[in-house]
Structures are given as structure tokens and as C-alpha cells.
Amino acid sequence: MGVQTPRAASAFAELVTGEQAIRAEMASRIRARSIGGGAAAEVEVVHSALASATPNLPQNHSEGEESQPSSVRKPSDQQAAAADRMKSVLALRKSQVGKAAAAGQLRGLHSSKDSDDEEDEAEDAADTAPGSGSATFDRLVNLLGDPTAASRQAALQQLCGLPLGGDQRKSLLRPLLLRFADPSERCRELAASIFEQWVEGADVADVSGSLPFLLPVLVERLGTEATAEPSEELRSALVSLTTKALFKVRALLRPYVAEIGSIVLGVCRDNYPPALRGACALMVLVGREVLPPMVKSMGGKAVQPYSARLIEAVLPHLHHRHSSVRVAVLEALEHVLLAGAGQSVETLVGWRMQNNVPIAEFYGKGEVRRNHLADLSRDSSVAVRSRFLRTLERWVRDMAGEDLYEQEVRLYPYLCNFLVDDAPQLCSQGLCVLISLGEAYLEAHEDEYRERVEYGHAEEVRRDEALNIQLPHPFAGRPPLGARVRVRNHFRALVHPIVAELSCWTAKERLQSASLLEVLLVFVEGHAAEFGHLVLPALAKAAANADAEPELVRRVCSCARVLAHYVDARSYLPLLLQMAVADPLNTLSQRTGCFTLLPPLLRGMYLVKGAAAEAPSTTPATHALAALSLLCSERGEAAACAQHTPLRNGARATLRELCALYREGRLPPLDGVEPVSEPPSGYGSTEKLESAARELYATPPAVRGSIDGSILVGLLLWHGSDPALSGLLEQQGAAAASAWGAVASSLAGDVMLLYRSAEEAPGGRPEGAAANAWPHLRHHYTRLRSALAARADQVGAPAAMELLDRAASDLGAAEGAAPAAVPAAAPAAVVTLSVADVESFDDEEDVEGASL
């Protein structure tokens, strides 16, 4: 060991003395404050370290004493090592004391003057400040990586309550992102909550700077095929965090389109309603802020794969059990489909080219096609249907021209379908939407329709005044020109599937198709004439089963009424009469449907008062005569005498409608109206059916010169063929008299409909109805008797003559005349035979004279 210089020895001795004093002071304070074992142990560690570090100094030299060597020597290596050990001991002491004070084991230590210098005192005060300070924050951040879940959770809970500054929060983001994959669900929840609080309070620049770190973590947690986040609530919280962050920087999202798409696709695999609503909100954001500029700069075809993939992912949720989810999905589709994905409408309606079958379907791997729009149009929620209406309007109004040219025909039927919606307010909104889109169409095609708009006002007024039927709700009159033209453009493509669905096996589809056809006919008006050969057979088939589906039959009859109002009868009635005649080619159900349609068709014809009769076939009277010829045919089976109950009901409904038309003046007396030699039009599918229609129009009325007399013949034949009168011609007794009386009362009621309305006729008094009806029968008695005799081979003709004779007998008895004055049943049979003998004469005048 070398000899120390006096100055070095003095400094070292002073340092040791000061350290011993500090150690003694520390021990005294510990003993005075009764510190627990943990703190005492730490202090003992300091004591032992100081003891080991203190060297054995010589005791025989004093301050100021100089060594004998003439040259000054440097401190030895051992002394330098001892100084280094002293510095390390002091650092260890400071750290140990700081930990003890932070743990609360040295309470009050920081308030005493035990620091080495003022700097140490300031550091200790900052390190031990309660509730704030960098030391506490750093310690909590370090605890986020603790292997114990309880420590991490406690640190996160304390961070939630700390009033952190902006810089502290920013430095905390990366440790928080690591906690998004924490094994503890509570830690993941707290981390997401702290991050969301920061997003709500941060500015746009800070949030945009965090996206390169945030989005990859969210893609890992939400955007994978395997569910990385098992908790539904946490998935919803992460989606909410994503939505808030992206909405805040919505103008800067284009570089992150791929990550956002992955998150949306991953969340769409979920079925949790809040998460799905959040995914739809993300789609709305992308479809509104990101994709439109890309479509404008790159073109719709470049963006179409991205948009179509999002649409395919969200489509299954259009049938989610929560209506709020369905509304959110519709809002998302509204924006994304307009971003170059117009072809996805074909997927929405389940359309596929008729001759295009994917190869996968040959191996049983084909995809199930579903008409999502049809399901939405029948959704049970009014809110969903209202959102669907707004979505359709936006698509038709804002879709790109090339896509709209192909897809408008697939969207417009569902817009028209809102006119028959169960909710009245949606019916009115649907009509307003159609009118608005029609006006936009006229503006877009101004050159094409300018002349009609400027100079066709008088024609529009004339047609408005000619409207003489009550249109269905919500129509208050004829639709405007633009709405009519736009719907008419698509009717040719719509009529074929509508006709096909009228024969569908499900009643709901048949009813909806009939309702849609009715509103379309209101828009198409007279342009539906070229489709009569398609529409009428389909309507007749749908109307055949009136008892099983009364609502469907009512809707079908309404379609027939609208068709007859706008279309000339020459375009449809000959075809219907051909289908209604008794012929082996016409099935019984088809004939029943045709007779069900006859009353509304006759009702829908135009008024004929004041009309010029340049072509008699254009007047309703000509077609009414043809219908009467079908009901009261002399050859073959007269429809009024049919024994099939549904067919009988249709025939009676036709007769009663003719009675109402005659009473209202729509069928004037046959002054100058003669039968035509050829039918007005020939739509028959075979030559035989065409000849049948030709014969009906060429047949003279049953009672010449009197349309009401011809209707009375039909009523007599119908009541005479009543199955209740079968076999009663030769029977006597109370039962037979009762049956004859019931049928006579029914006949009297129908006769009165020819001359009085149901309100004007005496109700509840059959004898009063008979008393008012029998004079009309007596007035036409001779001609009626002759017409019935000419149809003696019909099933109900004998009973009809008996009813006529009884009516005349009752009238004679009421007037005081002898009943014998009225021809009895036996003389009536003789007259019938004489008429039958005269039928072989060729001279028509002789036949009439013989019958008289």
C-alpha cells in the first residue's frame, strides 16, 4: 500500500465521517418511528454495505501531517476502487430509501432534512408526490407488462382515474395496444376504454398518427376468419372504438381502405347486434367518404370488387331478427352499392341469366339464390320498409347511367309495390317517390317530351275527365305524365314474371302479384292492350277459386275493372268469350274464372251516352249482347243453365251486373244497335274458338229490340235451372209449393235489380218484391215465352216457363182476374211443341208469326 498524501487522506476521512453520521442518524430515525421489518431490513443492507466499503485507515496521522518522501504520490488503485464502491453504495441507498418511501414504509422521511443536497430533496419530492407525477405514471406504465393479471388490472384502473396530460396519454398508447390481446378480459376492456377516451379528446392530427399502430391491432382482433376476441361485448367495444377513430379522421382514410375492409368483413361474420350495427356504420363511412372519390378518379369498375365484397358479406344480415340491424344494413347498402357496385342488384333480387347454369351446380355445390328485395318489401317492420323505400329512391336517382340502364327494371317493381303496402303512410310516400322520379325522368329527357308537355295539356284534361272508376288507394286521379312514362317503359319486362307468379303455388305471392298488376295498369293505361292475351288468361286462372281465396279474387276483379276502363273492349272481350264457351278445349275452372271476370270487365267500360256509334262494336251494348248470347245460347249449353255451382255463381253475377248497368243507363235500349257479322277482333288460339266468338257476336238478342227483355230471359233460365226445382214439375203438395215459392222470391229480387237499385227495392218483404217484379214479366210475357220455348232443350227452360206462368197467374189473381185466363202448364207444353215444329222453316217472319 502506497503512502497517501495528506490532502487525499484528509478528504477520504471526512467522507467516511460524514457517512457514519448519516448512518447513525438513519438508525436513530428508524428506531424512533418504529418502522416495520421490511424497512429495517433495507436499512441493515445499507449498513452492511457501508461497513464493507469503509477501509481500515491509519490512526497515527493527523490533519496537516506531511509524509517524509520528497515526491508526491497519487492515490493507490485500492483507494480508487473504494471510492467507486462508495458511489455505488450511495446510489443503492437512495434507491432503497425511495422505494421504501413510495411504499409508505418511511412516512415523513421526505419532509426531514436527510437528503444529501437540494437536488436529491427535489427528486424525492417529485417521486413521492401522491396522485400525480412522472414516477407514479412511469411505475404504472411499467406495471402494464407485469406477468400478474391482478397487477396489470390494478395499473389500468389507476390509469383510468389519473388526470393525464396529452403527452402522457400519447406515450401510453403503445402499451395499451399491447393490452388489447391481454389474456384477462377485464384488462382488455379497460385498455379499450382508456384508448377510446383518448380518441374522444384528441385532435385529428394525433388520432391520424395513431392509425398505423391502431388498425393492425384491430385487424388482428376483429378482421380474421377465426374469432380472436371471444367476448361479444368487447367486440362491440372495439368496433365502437374503430368507428369513433375513423369518423374523426374520415378525410384521411384512403390509405387504410384494406384494413377497414378486413375489419368490416370480420365483424360481418358476427351475429351480435351492436357489433353488426357498428360494422354497418363503418360501411356507411367508407361508402360516403372514401369510395366516391376513388370511383371518380379510378372509375367504377376499379372499385367494384371491393364494394361487391362488402355487399356480399352484409347481405345475410338483411334477415336478422332485430329490425334495427336490418335498417342499419339497408343504410350501408344504400351507400356502398352506389360506389361502382350496380351489378350487385342482380344478387339482391336473385337474378341469373336463364340459360346460364354454373358448373358447380352440376356437382351439388351451387349457391342458393334468394330475392332479398322481395323479402324486404314484405318485412313485418314498418321502419324497415320505410328505410327500404328511401334506399330504392336513392339508387334509382343517383346510380350511374350505365348501371341504371340495366338495373332500373329490377328496382322499379318494388317501388310500385309500395302503392299497395299495408301501411297507408307508406302508400302515400311511395306515390310521392314515383312522381318525383317521373319528374326527374322528364327533365333528363326534355328534348324527347318537350312537345307533349307544352302542347298536350288539353288531351290530359280530357282524359282526366273521362275517368269514371274509383282508383285504388293512394291514387286521387291519374298519375302525372313523367310517372306514367317511366313505369310504362318497364311494363313489357314486368308483365311476364307477374303473369307467371299469378299461377304460383303460394297464395301470398299470387296476391302480391295481383296487387302489383293493378297499380301498374293504372300507370300503363291503354298501352296494356297489346298484353291482353297474356293478362286475361292469368287473371281468369287466378279468379277460378273464388271461395278459397276471396281476397285474391277481389284484387283480380279490380285488375279487370282497371283494364276494361283504359282498354277498348275489342281488345279483350272476344278473347274472354272464346275462353268461356262450353267447349272441350275450355276446362270448367277456366270457364268459371272467365265468368268471374265478366262483371268487373263490363263495369269498367266507358260510358256510351253521347258517343258516336260509327263502329257498333266499340259500344258496351254490343259486347253486352255477346255476353248475353253466351248466357242464353240456343245451341249447346247455355251458361245460365249450368249445374256446376261456381260456374252458376259466376253466371248469376254477370246477369246481376248487366241489370245494374241497364238500370244506370250505361246499356241503352237497342235502338239501331244490331248484331255484327264478325267479332271485333280475333285472338282465338284455334280456328274453332274464333268461330265460336264470331257466332256469339252474330247471334241476335233473345228478345229482339229489348235488352232488358233479353236479360230477363237469362234470369228465368238461371232460376229455372236451380237444382232445388229438379223433378218438381209433376209434383204437388206443400213441399213443392214451398220450393217454387222460394225460387220465385229469388227471381223477383233479381228482376227488381233490373229496374230499381237494392236500396230502392222493398227490402224484407218478398211479397212486395214479387208485386213490383211481376208486372215487368207480364209486360214481356209473350216474347219471354217465345224465347224460352226456343230454348226448350236447355236444362232449366221448362221450369223457367213454369215460373213465368206462375208469375203471370199471381199477377192476374192480384188484379182480380180469373186464374184460368193465364195459360196453364198443359197448354204451355202444346205451345212448346208447335214452336219446335216451326223451327224447321226458313222464313224468319213465319217463325215469328207461328210463335205468336
Side-chain angles (χ1 to χ4, degrees):
M1 179 176 179
V3 179
Q4 298 179 356
T5 62
R7 186 175 300 177
S10 174
F12 187 75
E14 184 179 353
L15 178 62
V16 172
T17 304
E19 190 62 34
Q20 290 176 349
I22 292 174
R23 181 172 56 186
E25 180 69 18
M26 233 177 169
S28 64
R29 289 184 182 182
I30 293 173
R31 287 192 296 272
R33 298 179 183 277
S34 301
I35 301 177
E42 292 182 357
V43 175
E44 289 300 329
V45 171
V46 177
H47 275 272
S48 61
L50 289 174
S52 62
T54 305
N56 296 323
L57 298 178
Q59 302 296 329
N60 56 355
H61 63 270
S62 61
E63 184 178 0
E65 184 177 1
E66 296 183 359
S67 59
Q68 295 299 324
S70 58
S71 60
V72 179
R73 298 180 180 180
K74 297 181 180 180
S76 65
D77 294 339
Q78 185 177 3
Q79 293 175 349
D84 293 339
R85 286 197 300 271
M86 179 61 65
K87 292 180 181 180
S88 64
V89 168
L90 291 177
L92 177 63
R93 192 266 305 174
K94 292 175 66 177
S95 64
Q96 294 290 343
V97 173
K99 289 182 180 180
Q105 296 174 345
L106 296 177
R107 291 182 296 271
L109 181 62
H110 59 278
S111 61
S112 61
K113 299 298 182 178
D114 61 342
S115 299
D116 295 330
D117 48 25
E118 295 179 358
E119 182 179 356
D120 291 342
E121 182 178 3
E123 291 177 359
D124 290 342
D127 291 345
T128 58
S132 63
S134 60
T136 303
F137 175 77
D138 294 340
R139 180 179 61 84
L140 293 177
V141 172
N142 292 333
L143 286 176
L144 293 180
D146 194 279
T148 306
S151 300
R152 298 194 302 271
Q153 179 177 341
L156 288 169
Q157 289 176 344
Q158 293 184 40
L159 287 172
C160 287
L162 286 179
L164 302 178
D167 295 337
Q168 289 178 322
R169 289 183 181 273
K170 289 172 63 176
S171 63
L172 183 61
L173 297 183
R174 294 189 182 184
L176 284 178
L177 291 177
L178 295 176
R179 293 305 97 209
F180 279 23
D182 196 284
S184 172
E185 179 179 338
R186 180 58 178 166
C187 292
R188 298 197 304 272
E189 180 182 357
L190 289 172
S193 176
I194 295 173
F195 206 105
E196 186 172 355
Q197 291 176 6
W198 173 79
V199 168
E200 292 175 352
D203 56 11
V204 176
D206 291 338
V207 176
S208 63
S210 68
L211 291 184
F213 311 101
L214 173 63
L215 289 180
V217 175
L218 293 174
V219 170
E220 180 184 355
R221 302 302 298 172
L222 299 174
T224 57
E225 293 186 3
T227 304
E229 177 54 63
S231 173
E232 291 181 339
E233 291 78 7
L234 273 180
R235 291 199 298 270
S236 176
L238 291 177
V239 173
S240 175
L241 168 63
T242 308
T243 305
K244 291 181 179 179
L246 297 183
F247 264 95
K248 199 150 195 174
V249 294
R250 53 185 175 271
L252 309 171
L253 296 181
R254 185 165 178 175
Y256 308 103
V257 169
E259 288 82 357
I260 298 173
S262 299
I263 294 173
V264 172
L265 294 180
V267 177
C268 286
R269 299 186 187 100
D270 203 342
N271 204 37
Y272 188 52
L276 289 175
R277 289 194 292 267
C280 294
L282 288 176
M283 288 182 64
V284 171
L285 175 63
V286 172
R288 182 185 298 167
E289 302 291 342
V290 181
L291 297 183
M294 295 176 64
V295 171
K296 188 175 181 180
S297 61
M298 303 168 57
K301 292 184 178 180
V303 185
Q304 188 269 341
Y306 183 88
S307 303
R309 187 68 185 91
L310 294 182
I311 291 174
E312 292 175 2
V314 81
L315 268 186
H317 301 295
L318 279 175
H319 311 280
H320 197 277
R321 59 190 181 92
H322 286 195
S323 61
S324 60
V325 174
R326 300 197 296 273
V327 170
V329 171
L330 278 173
E331 185 178 2
L333 289 176
E334 174 185 334
H335 293 85
V336 177
L337 188 135
L338 294 176
Q343 293 294 329
S344 296
V345 174
E346 299 175 1
T347 305
L348 288 171
V349 300
W351 181 85
R352 188 180 64 193
M353 191 177 295
Q354 190 171 8
N355 297 326
N356 184 8
V357 181
I359 297 178
E361 293 194 1
F362 288 100
Y363 301 97
K365 300 179 181 179
E367 297 181 357
V368 177
R369 293 178 298 153
R370 185 170 184 175
N371 192 337
H372 301 279
L373 299 189
D375 294 336
L376 288 171
S377 67
R378 296 174 296 191
D379 196 279
S380 58
S381 172
V382 177
V384 174
R385 299 201 303 273
S386 178
R387 176 73 250 186
F388 181 45
L389 174 61
R390 297 196 299 272
T391 302
L392 289 175
E393 180 187 8
R394 173 86 186 284
W395 286 346
V396 175
R397 190 182 300 276
D398 298 340
M399 189 177 290
E402 59 274 12
D403 289 334
L404 185 62
Y405 181 79
E406 296 182 8
Q407 309 304 334
E408 183 178 353
V409 68
R410 298 185 177 96
L411 298 176
Y412 237 76
Y414 303 102
L415 279 172
C416 297
N417 192 68
F418 277 98
L419 299 176
V420 293
D421 194 88
D422 296 334
Q425 67 272 21
L426 287 184
C427 295
S428 302
Q429 293 176 14
L431 181 59
C432 293
V433 168
L434 288 174
I435 293 174
S436 175
L437 293 176
E439 294 174 353
Y441 182 82
L442 290 182
E443 292 177 2
H445 301 79
E446 183 179 0
D447 296 338
E448 184 178 353
Y449 294 97
R450 180 186 294 113
E451 183 177 352
R452 186 171 179 181
V453 170
E454 294 179 355
Y455 301 105
H457 178 70
E459 178 66 17
E460 290 291 315
V461 172
R462 187 187 67 81
R463 288 184 175 272
D464 291 342
E465 294 175 350
L467 190 68
N468 61 355
I469 62 171
Q470 183 177 2
L471 297 177
H473 177 78
F475 293 101
R478 295 178 68 224
L481 174 62
R484 298 200 310 269
V485 170
R486 195 158 193 176
V487 174
R488 189 184 306 153
N489 292 340
H490 307 301
F491 186 74
R492 184 180 298 277
L494 297 178
V495 66
H496 296 279
I498 290 176
V499 167
E501 289 194 3
L502 279 174
S503 303
C504 185
W505 63 276
T506 52
K508 191 172 185 180
E509 277 70 17
R510 289 199 300 270
L511 180 60
Q512 193 166 9
S513 298
S515 303
L516 178 59
L517 178 60
E518 180 184 7
V519 297
L520 290 178
L521 289 174
V522 174
F523 286 96
V524 176
E525 296 183 343
H527 295 269
E530 60 178 307
F531 306 104
H533 64 290
L534 295 175
V535 173
L536 275 180
L539 293 178
K541 186 175 182 179
N545 196 4
D547 296 334
E549 299 176 289
E551 178 62 24
L552 175 62
V553 173
R554 186 189 68 81
R555 186 68 66 179
V556 166
C557 291
S558 181
C559 291
R561 189 179 302 110
V562 175
L563 177 69
H565 173 71
Y566 290 114
V567 180
D568 195 331
R570 292 176 295 178
S571 300
Y572 59 85
L573 203 59
L575 172 63
L576 191 74
L577 296 178
Q578 293 170 11
M579 297 167 55
V581 296
D583 190 273
L585 295 179
N586 297 333
T587 62
L588 197 58
S589 61
Q590 176 181 308
R591 296 180 62 202
T592 302
C594 291
F595 276 102
T596 304
L597 292 181
L598 266 177
L601 288 174
L602 295 173
R603 171 60 60 179
M605 293 179 182
Y606 284 103
L607 291 170
V608 296
K609 290 183 176 180
E614 298 177 357
S617 60
T618 62
T619 63
T622 301
H623 303 288
L625 286 177
L628 278 174
S629 299
L630 179 63
L631 291 166
C632 311
S633 177
E634 294 186 21
R635 301 176 183 178
E637 177 188 350
C641 301
Q643 297 300 297
H644 183 59
T645 301
L647 185 57
R648 284 182 56 81
N649 294 338
R652 187 184 188 187
T654 303
L655 289 169
R656 292 169 71 93
E657 187 63 37
L658 288 171
C659 292
L661 292 174
Y662 178 82
R663 184 184 66 248
E664 296 169 3
R666 298 188 64 184
L667 295 178
L670 299 179
D671 298 333
V673 179
E674 297 294 337
V676 293
S677 58
E678 293 289 336
S681 58
Y683 290 104
S685 58
T686 65
E687 182 179 358
K688 187 173 183 180
L689 291 180
E690 291 179 359
S691 63
R694 185 182 300 109
E695 183 179 350
L696 289 176
Y697 277 91
T699 301
V703 177
R704 287 185 176 274
S706 174
I707 195 169
D708 59 334
S710 302
I711 296 174
L712 288 175
V713 171
L715 291 174
L716 286 167
L717 287 175
W718 191 90
H719 288 279
S721 61
D722 193 327
L725 298 181
S726 178
L728 294 183
L729 284 175
E730 304 298 334
Q731 293 184 10
Q732 303 291 333
S738 176
W740 284 105
V743 174
S745 176
S746 177
L747 172 63
D750 288 347
V751 170
M752 287 309 301
L753 289 178
L754 188 60
Y755 303 103
R756 295 185 185 181
S757 63
E759 293 77 11
E760 296 172 347
R765 294 186 295 127
E767 64 279 1
N772 290 276
W774 296 158
H776 299 288
L777 292 177
R778 182 63 179 269
H779 175 72
H780 297 285
Y781 176 81
T782 304
R783 289 182 291 179
L784 293 176
R785 196 80 157 89
S786 176
L788 293 174
R791 293 159 178 79
D793 57 342
Q794 299 292 340
V795 175
M801 288 187 287
E802 178 66 20
L803 283 173
L804 182 61
D805 294 341
R806 287 175 178 269
S809 176
D810 293 343
L811 181 60
E815 294 176 351
V822 180
V830 175
V831 173
T832 302
L833 290 176
S834 65
V835 172
D837 292 338
V838 182
E839 282 184 354
S840 60
F841 294 171
D842 296 332
D843 191 354
E844 186 175 348
E845 296 180 357
D846 294 339
V847 174
E848 293 183 358
S851 63
L852 292 175

